[in-house]
Amino acid sequence: MSLTKIQTILILGGAFAAGVLAGWMAQPHADVSAAGASLGGLSSPTAGAQAVNGARGVAPGAETDAGFVVPNRSEQERFGGFDLQKQADVLRRLAQREGKELRTSALALLAKIVPQLSADQTAALLGDLSGGRLENLVIRRFLAERLAELDAQRALELGKQLGDTKVLGATLMVMGEEDAAKALAVVKTLPLDQGKEALTYYLQQVGGGQGKGSALEVAAVLKETPALKELGINGVFGVTDLLGGLLAQQEDRSPAAVLAAVKSLSAELSVLKKDASAHTYDENALNTGMLQGFLKSLRDADPRAASAFFDGLPDAAKSPWMFSEEAYARFKNGGVEGAIALAEKQVNEEFAKRAASGAWWGLAQQDRPGAFAWIESLPPGAFRNGVLNAVLWDAWNQSMSWGSDRSAIDAGAQLLSKASQMDYFASLLSDRRFWGRGSAPSEMIAQLPISEEEKRELYRRIAPVKPK
């Protein structure tokens, strides 16, 4: 069963999950398995020892759950051996306890028990049960992917029968791991609305390296898919990510070969552009998107090869955003010196600024106070301006409040010197990309946590804006 990157990170990154799961399953009451040993094959070596603070931070014995008790507590009994009603009760209990978003321990439990199910059991659990259909989207996805792994055609038919686009989308994901073009061809067989939702699900979930097959064959299928034409810009990013990932699997990954393939694919997909003024499916945007998808997939497999490829690309094929991503990748794999070196050798000022932003962002993830102190050591110029811009983007990313004036202002207030704060606010206000979100520069200046004299200085620095 394939997991999204987020689910994989949650499972692998949560080192506490095994301990929590052991404590959870060892509870003699009040939890999904109700008796730890009742899913015996799933327990960790420490299962059977009670968690120190109970299953969910509740004092041991404080919870009661008389409504869900598994009679047979044999350690040999497994989830796949339960009858259908008991299996449904386990999954329903899990959804009730966790809500819409499942915790790391719950994802780990699902990853262990769902693979025990047969195709018949999985199909039955996805359908209408005596207690009502299992509605939790995460649980349904695990079940849908399990059924697709066992019998993709049956999963498709069930998804159509239930009108469940999540089941259809998860089935496409599994099919695409073998042949992305064949999986996407299924979309054309669906009613338009179903096709749009299933394709959206697939394109949102698929990442570089997850699909297999020929990029040209995938593009040929996509350009004949009515549902894709309806998605517009919402479908473009998934398409370029998918195609870039497929190109990263080809034998010849030289810059010349990849650029030629990218241009050929862009020409294929440009027919989806609705009119001459639209940016959607513009060939230049498609070129850039596929190269970014290619680099992302190659970095996952071989960061050094990705950096060598990046260096071999002509500047005309690169976008400014590629430099921030590449600088961050070099920071992760070689330290801040490599990221700084990338920025310093750029002749194009915008490229240098973006690379500088990637260097700072990498440092901020590792040592946030040190990253702010580093700003104070930088001389004026494109590099420092790029770092100051990164402070803004990082604030929006940290707060998940893209375009927020308040977040942008608060980020500037964290800078350690008045000079850096003034340079940051001047950069923010003089760049139309930042103040084109609704607030005029004069409106934003009025909100800044600086003196009236400093506000007048900002007006002078971003002339011809005049104070009101």
Side-chain angles (χ1 to χ4, degrees):
M1 177 180 299
S2 63
L3 302 175
T4 64
K5 290 181 181 178
I6 291 177
Q7 287 173 322
T8 303
I9 289 169
L10 284 170
I11 292 174
L12 298 181
F16 63 90
V20 172
L21 182 59
W24 187 7
M25 296 179 66
Q27 296 295 315
H29 55 268
D31 232 317
V32 171
S33 64
S38 67
L39 300 179
L42 310 180
S43 299
S44 75
T46 57
Q50 187 148 319
V52 175
N53 293 318
R56 285 287 179 271
V58 179
E63 286 188 82
T64 58
D65 187 6
F68 184 66
V69 177
V70 179
N72 185 352
R73 297 167 63 105
S74 167
E75 292 207 12
Q76 299 304 312
E77 187 172 26
R78 297 168 60 83
F79 180 75
F82 292 172
D83 62 40
L84 179 64
Q85 189 58 51
K86 192 182 295 184
Q87 290 170 343
D89 286 344
V90 168
L91 296 176
R92 193 171 285 115
R93 175 75 60 180
L94 182 62
Q96 289 173 348
R97 289 190 60 81
E98 299 295 341
K100 185 177 179 181
E101 299 296 330
L102 302 189
R103 296 182 186 180
T104 306
S105 53
L107 291 171
L109 180 59
L110 281 170
K112 290 188 176 222
I113 64 176
V114 170
Q116 298 177 27
L117 297 171
S118 68
D120 287 343
Q121 290 172 322
T122 310
L125 289 167
L126 283 167
D128 294 321
L129 303 165
S130 59
R133 182 184 296 187
L134 295 170
E135 298 292 350
N136 183 276
L137 297 181
V138 178
I139 291 174
R140 290 191 71 79
R141 178 181 172 185
F142 270 85
L143 293 171
E145 290 196 5
R146 174 60 178 167
L147 182 57
E149 286 173 342
L150 296 171
D151 189 338
Q153 190 59 42
R154 183 172 182 177
L156 286 175
E157 294 304 320
L158 183 64
K160 292 177 185 178
Q161 175 190 331
L162 298 174
D164 191 326
T165 53
K166 297 298 187 297
V167 171
L168 292 170
T171 305
L172 295 183
M173 285 290 298
V174 172
M175 293 177 65
E177 291 174 358
E178 298 297 326
D179 188 335
K182 183 177 179 180
L184 290 166
V186 171
V187 177
K188 293 192 294 183
T189 70
L190 302 174
L192 184 59
D193 286 344
Q194 273 191 7
K196 285 166 56 178
E197 290 190 43
L199 183 58
T200 297
Y201 180 96
Y202 177 81
L203 293 176
Q204 286 176 343
Q205 302 293 336
V206 72
Q210 284 184 279
K212 295 292 186 294
S214 162
L216 276 173
E217 289 180 7
V218 169
V221 171
L222 286 172
K223 77 174 187 178
E224 300 298 332
T225 302
L228 182 62
K229 297 178 182 180
E230 296 293 321
L231 297 184
I233 194 65
N234 292 325
V236 173
F237 298 113
V239 167
T240 55
D241 203 30
L242 170 62
L243 293 175
L246 293 174
L247 290 175
Q249 299 168 30
Q250 68 182 25
E251 287 189 21
D252 188 349
R253 295 183 297 193
S254 65
V258 173
L259 279 173
V262 162
K263 289 177 181 177
S264 176
L265 290 166
S266 296
E268 284 279 302
L269 293 174
S270 63
V271 298
L272 296 170
K273 188 171 181 176
K274 292 188 176 181
D275 57 69
S277 62
H279 294 294
T280 304
Y281 295 105
D282 175 81
E283 287 194 45
N284 289 332
L286 288 170
N287 290 344
T288 300
M290 278 185 272
L291 285 174
Q292 286 178 300
F294 174 91
L295 281 164
K296 181 166 63 175
S297 183
L298 189 57
R299 284 187 191 115
D300 290 341
D302 188 343
R304 289 181 181 273
S307 291
F309 177 89
F310 183 88
D311 289 339
L313 279 177
D315 280 358
K318 298 172 181 174
S319 71
W321 288 109
M322 287 184 186
F323 284 86
S324 57
E325 294 171 356
E326 179 61 22
Y328 178 62
R330 293 190 187 197
F331 176 89
K332 287 196 302 180
N333 294 295
V336 70
E337 292 81 7
I340 292 173
L342 175 67
E344 288 180 335
K345 71 181 182 182
Q346 302 308 315
V347 176
N348 182 304
E349 183 174 310
E350 188 65 18
F351 289 173
K353 287 169 63 176
R354 295 299 185 190
S357 73
W360 184 87
W361 195 79
L363 186 61
Q365 307 314 300
Q366 187 180 84
D367 178 7
R368 199 164 187 79
F372 279 103
W374 182 53
I375 293 173
E376 303 306 315
S377 71
L378 300 176
F383 188 93
R384 186 169 183 269
N385 291 339
V387 167
L388 291 174
N389 284 348
V391 173
L392 169 71
W393 296 110
D394 181 66
W396 281 345
N397 185 58
Q398 292 287 328
S399 62
M400 297 301 289
S401 57
W402 288 93
S404 163
D405 287 351
R406 186 71 263 159
S407 293
I409 292 169
D410 290 346
Q414 294 181 52
L415 293 165
L416 302 182
S417 71
K418 187 59 66 175
S420 293
Q421 290 179 12
M422 291 292 286
D423 289 344
Y424 168 87
F425 290 131
S427 174
L428 174 68
L429 292 163
S430 61
D431 194 326
R432 295 183 66 88
R433 288 172 302 182
F434 299 147
W435 60 263
R437 304 175 313 281
S439 297
S442 56
E443 294 172 325
M444 184 178 284
I445 288 175
Q447 304 175 53
L448 299 180
I450 56 178
S451 69
E452 291 302 315
E453 176 55 35
E454 288 164 340
K455 289 178 181 179
R456 286 192 288 271
E457 171 62 20
L458 275 180
Y459 279 115
R460 288 190 291 270
R461 291 173 66 170
I462 63 171
V465 176
K466 304 295 183 184
K468 293 182 179 179

